Amino acid sequence: MNKQPLVILVAFFILGIFFQDRFSLNVNYIYPIVGICLFVCIATFFRNYFLHLAKPYLLCTMFFGIGIVLHFFNSSHKQPTVSGNKTIVFKICGKLNSNEKNRKYEAVVQTQKDIFKAVLYLAKNEKELDFTHYYTTQAFVSKPKAPQYDFQFDYSKYLRRKNIDYQCYINSEIHNTVRNDLGLNEKFSQKRLEVLQNIDRTTMSSASKEFLKGIILADRTEIDAQIAEDFNRSGLIHFLAISGTHIVVIFELFFFLSVKLLPVKYRKYALVLCLVLIWLFTVFIGFGSSVVRSSLMLSIYNVYVLLQRKSDLLHALALSAFIILLFDTQQLFDVGFQLSFLAVLGIFWLNRPILSYFPKQDHRFKKIIFNTISISISAQLATLPLVLYYFHQFSLISIVANFFIVPFSEIIIVFSFLMTALIALNLDFEYMNWIYGFVIDILLKVIHWFASFNSTFFENIPMNVAEVFSLFLIVILLRTLIKKFNLKNFTVCMTAVAAFLMLRLGSDFYERRKPEVLIHNFSKNKVLSIKKNDEVCFWIEENSDKSKIVKFIINPYCASRRIKKQEIRRLPNSVRKVVYQDKTYEVN
């Protein structure tokens, strides 16, 4: 507690959020907890020997209680009752990833009686919406459905965590009215939308346009599915999405220009100016979760520098997490939040021990290369348990791909930022577009080449919560083993590995012994699955989309049930019964 008090207190605060999310205490428990927190807060001001001894435990209890209380109020919002075809008036709050048929928007919707947040679905052949209008139309309003089975992604729960209650499918002509009440954030969002539209009007290839919009403006709503898959399979998805790397590179660009342009007597204010510019950039690209996290962490870290205090990465990390969760405890359950903080923790925990095994960094090139490799390995090791738990896939080629691509990421990010700035200022230089498009097209081809190594890509990897914690224990013990490789540390680490393997074998055995017959509803089709031991057979209807069924039904099921062998058979639409291993099953 003496060495890292803030880290420990924030850890208890996070545990309180998890506790409330798991047990959902009602208001009868919340107010007594509020009373306990107030009592502890007041008690810490009294000078008493016994209180002094108990102070660390009291503070941990208080932060645990604060986590419970805040998450209760963040999770308790009244849902209106709306369904069916309704006349709605709405304004958009943001654009979401499109699907094959529709554009999707997050919007504030008003019916005759209620106001609520919803996801809007608009056909792609309709005119794109903006932030400067109110819209009136007819739409079919419905609540997102809970998943049919436990292995499926719970989209309804995901939306509830964002306080989104409904989905609205627009089914008639849209009428608009110009708004005169735009807030500052909405003005920034509209300007960002205009810059995105300007990028679409350039002569670059569509792939280069989508890459530019994603890497700088955090807009991947229209990105080609194949490009997204390439980044995913090559382990470079962090390069396409705005992350800490992007914010740091842009901050360094601002700092470099500030130092060069400001008079000598004002150069000490360059850091403050750069932090202001970074936050303006954060607002401009829409306060995305990952951008806010990165900007906040960078700001807190540099405040230590401004106050001439020794910078402490763990304190900066804990304080930024606490500030974010203070405003929205639901952020804790965002996969990006968890992975980004784990990546930084991994770099803190493993980077220096791994870097010590590399040759001496006696010039800048070696420093860049060796640090790139060690940071990449550290971040990937720290996030691997959660990546396997959430996505059930891993690519070995990602280590090699990061080695080749990441050293050039700073150049690509700076080039992309300058291109975006020129386009935002309506300075469209044909030769610049050609050069940028040429460079990005080559980059995308290289990434596609890395993604094509199917033998290094593993999917449907089973992973449960117990196994995740077991893997985290191995990652924690790795630091000691890497720093000092001896028999004792090796034995401790191998014991943790053996415990993980035993846990995995036990989980495999538990799933293998359960036979299961399920009928999955997918769109307008049905899928029959019959599982015996670690094998499963799927029957899908002839007119169904096999690729989508594999993605949304078969792969999640195989990962959840630890399937070793799968078989897919086509089922004629007229057939309602199947025979499998001498047994007859009905497809209802």
Side-chain angles (χ1 to χ4, degrees), residues 108-228:
V108 176
V109 178
Q110 181 175 355
T111 61
Q112 192 173 6
K113 296 180 179 179
D114 302 295
I115 299 177
F116 52 88
K117 289 182 73 175
V119 174
L120 289 173
Y121 291 80
L122 177 68
K124 282 190 171 181
N125 57 2
E126 297 290 337
K127 185 180 178 182
E128 194 170 350
L129 306 180
D130 60 37
F131 295 86
T132 61
H133 292 87
Y134 284 112
Y135 298 95
T136 305
T137 188
Q138 289 280 329
F140 181 79
V141 183
S142 64
K143 277 193 172 184
K145 292 182 179 179
Q148 189 179 7
Y149 300 112
D150 61 341
F151 62 87
Q152 294 172 298
F153 174 65
D154 193 341
Y155 187 58
S156 62
K157 189 175 183 179
Y158 168 78
L159 291 181
R160 283 200 306 273
R161 292 201 184 280
K162 299 177 72 175
N163 291 329
I164 296 176
D165 303 310
Y166 289 94
Q167 294 172 302
C168 297
Y169 298 85
I170 296 174
N171 52 26
S172 67
E173 186 180 357
I174 300 175
H175 304 281
N176 59 63
T177 306
V178 176
R179 292 180 59 187
N180 55 11
D181 60 347
L182 281 176
L184 183 61
N185 188 36
E186 290 172 317
K187 290 178 180 177
F188 274 108
S189 297
Q190 178 59 29
K191 182 60 183 175
R192 172 175 173 263
L193 182 61
E194 291 169 6
V195 175
L196 291 170
Q197 292 168 346
N198 287 346
I199 292 173
D200 285 331
R201 286 191 284 268
T202 62
T203 56
M204 290 183 286
S205 66
S206 59
S208 299
K209 293 174 187 177
E210 296 306 324
F211 179 86
L212 178 58
K213 291 192 286 186
I215 197 172
I216 297 298
L217 297 175
D219 182 275
R220 291 189 289 160
T221 56
E222 303 292 341
I223 194 167
D224 181 74
Q226 183 58 56
I227 294 175

Side-chain angles (χ1 to χ4, degrees), residues 467 470-471 473-475 477-478 481 489-505:
E467 290 169 320
S470 181
L471 271 183
L473 177 62
I474 295 171
V475 173
L477 295 173
L478 271 178
L481 180 64
N489 292 338
F490 179 77
T491 303
V492 171
C493 195
M494 286 301 102
T495 302
V497 172
F500 167 75
L501 293 175
M502 290 176 64
L503 185 62
R504 194 163 184 81
L505 286 171

